[in-house]
Amino acid sequence: MPRFRQAYRAVLVTAACLGGMAAVVLLFPPLRALGESRAQCLRDRVQMAWFRTLLLILGVHVERRGRWNPDAPLWVANHISWLDIVVIGAQAPLTFISKQDVAGWPVFGFLARRTGTLFLRRGDREDTQRLGERMTWLLRQKRTLLLFPEGTSSSGETVLRFHPRLFQPAKRAGVAVQPVALAYRGDAGKIAPFVGEAAFLPHLLRMLGIPRTVAELSFGLAIDSEHLNRDELAHAARQTVVDCLGKGETRRQVA
């Protein structure tokens, strides 16, 4: 049965990826004729529908705690797995900030590039400055961005340090920051972490074999950036994520 489940889901994931590629190649370009605002709205709907389809195929059940603040367009989350992007991306229209490595992934890298993901080259100061300027502009345009400020993924047992420089765009744009905490429970808690030199496709196949994955997604209180410097902002955001991961008494919303 596990082998059958894995094979069946692999076929569905392949079909979903082909559908996603067809959408970004054939559907997205003609949408520009509708005007940028309306085209972006439709692209967002397609992207969210695609993420939600993947959640169904993968058997992921999202338990959501709290609500995000619509006036806090910079979402910052702890990072455990590539699956984080699917779980969080299914919640709201987002532009993703990702490490440059993702751009080279098969299929998913292609989709990321075509859907407006911004890529960061770690250790490249000029590229970081360029990315910061782009993020600032998008935040001023009220676009919601998702950032993983740890800079890498972890096992989920702890929350790594949040890099302060990644919070500078929020300061420049004068916007609040929305902390997001994510955890995987059950068998997925051990299998979902995508760390070190793990290869994407073998990891995906392992995830396809899990009968049911429970993802707990918590939204903390938004943090005003006006009276905090970027170091204080990073520390406050990380502490909020840590606190959210440690709480179990808040009412859960099933999505």
Side-chain angles (χ1 to χ4, degrees):
M1 184 64 179
R3 292 281 186 179
F4 174 78
R5 180 191 303 114
Q6 190 178 49
Y8 177 65
R9 286 178 172 176
V11 171
L12 293 180
V13 167
T14 300
C17 288
L18 291 174
M21 295 174 71
V24 299
V25 172
L26 302 176
L27 177 61
F28 282 15
L31 291 179
R32 297 170 188 163
L34 301 175
E36 182 54 34
S37 178
R38 190 173 179 187
Q40 185 62 61
C41 181
L42 292 173
R43 287 194 296 264
D44 287 339
R45 290 184 181 181
V46 171
Q47 181 170 280
M48 289 178 64
W50 190 76
F51 282 137
R52 290 173 179 176
T53 298
L54 280 185
L55 291 180
L56 287 174
I57 294 172
L58 294 169
V60 178
H61 177 80
V62 181
E63 294 182 348
R64 194 173 66 235
R65 299 171 174 173
R67 297 182 183 277
W68 63 82
N69 188 328
D71 297 321
L74 180 60
W75 289 20
V76 296
N78 61 307
H79 195 17
I80 301 172
S81 172
W82 54 266
L83 186 57
D84 304 348
I85 294 174
V86 182
V87 171
I88 302 176
Q91 308 304 312
L94 300 167
T95 293
F96 301 94
I97 315 298
S98 182
K99 60 182 180 180
Q100 185 64 38
D101 299 3
V102 174
W105 286 4
V107 181
F108 285 87
F110 173 83
L111 292 173
R113 294 193 304 272
R114 289 300 189 98
T115 53
T117 295
L118 304 179
F119 296 103
L120 171 66
R121 292 187 180 90
R122 288 178 290 185
D124 188 331
R125 184 168 297 182
E126 290 187 4
D127 186 70
T128 301
Q129 182 177 355
R130 174 198 58 79
L131 176 64
E133 292 172 355
R134 179 62 177 169
M135 289 174 61
T136 301
W137 185 85
L138 288 171
L139 291 171
R140 287 173 175 163
Q141 303 305 309
K142 308 302 182 184
R143 183 68 184 169
T144 302
L145 311 182
L146 173 63
L147 172 69
F148 297 109
E150 291 169 292
T152 188
S153 55
S154 74
S155 65
E157 295 177 359
T158 186
V159 179
L160 304 178
R161 172 179 175 268
F162 281 9
H163 293 284
R165 70 180 184 279
L166 300 175
F167 288 79
Q168 190 62 34
K171 289 290 297 176
R172 290 176 180 167
V175 299
V177 173
Q178 174 63 67
V180 183
L182 183 60
Y184 297 98
R185 304 304 183 197
D187 292 339
K190 298 179 180 178
I191 299 176
F194 186 67
V195 295
E197 300 299 320
F200 174 70
L201 289 179
H203 188 266
L204 172 61
L205 289 175
R206 291 184 68 195
M207 291 299 299
L208 293 177
I210 302 176
R212 185 173 184 266
T213 296
V214 176
E216 294 184 354
L217 188 63
S218 303
F219 294 91
L221 294 177
I223 303 170
D224 192 342
S225 65
E226 183 178 359
H227 301 296
L228 300 176
N229 61 41
R230 67 183 194 180
D231 294 272
E232 293 169 336
L233 195 56
H235 176 76
R238 179 186 178 279
Q239 189 58 53
T240 300
V241 169
V242 169
D243 291 343
C244 286
L245 291 173
K247 291 180 180 178
E249 73 280 4
T250 51
R251 182 173 60 88
R252 295 182 179 181
Q253 300 170 335
V254 178

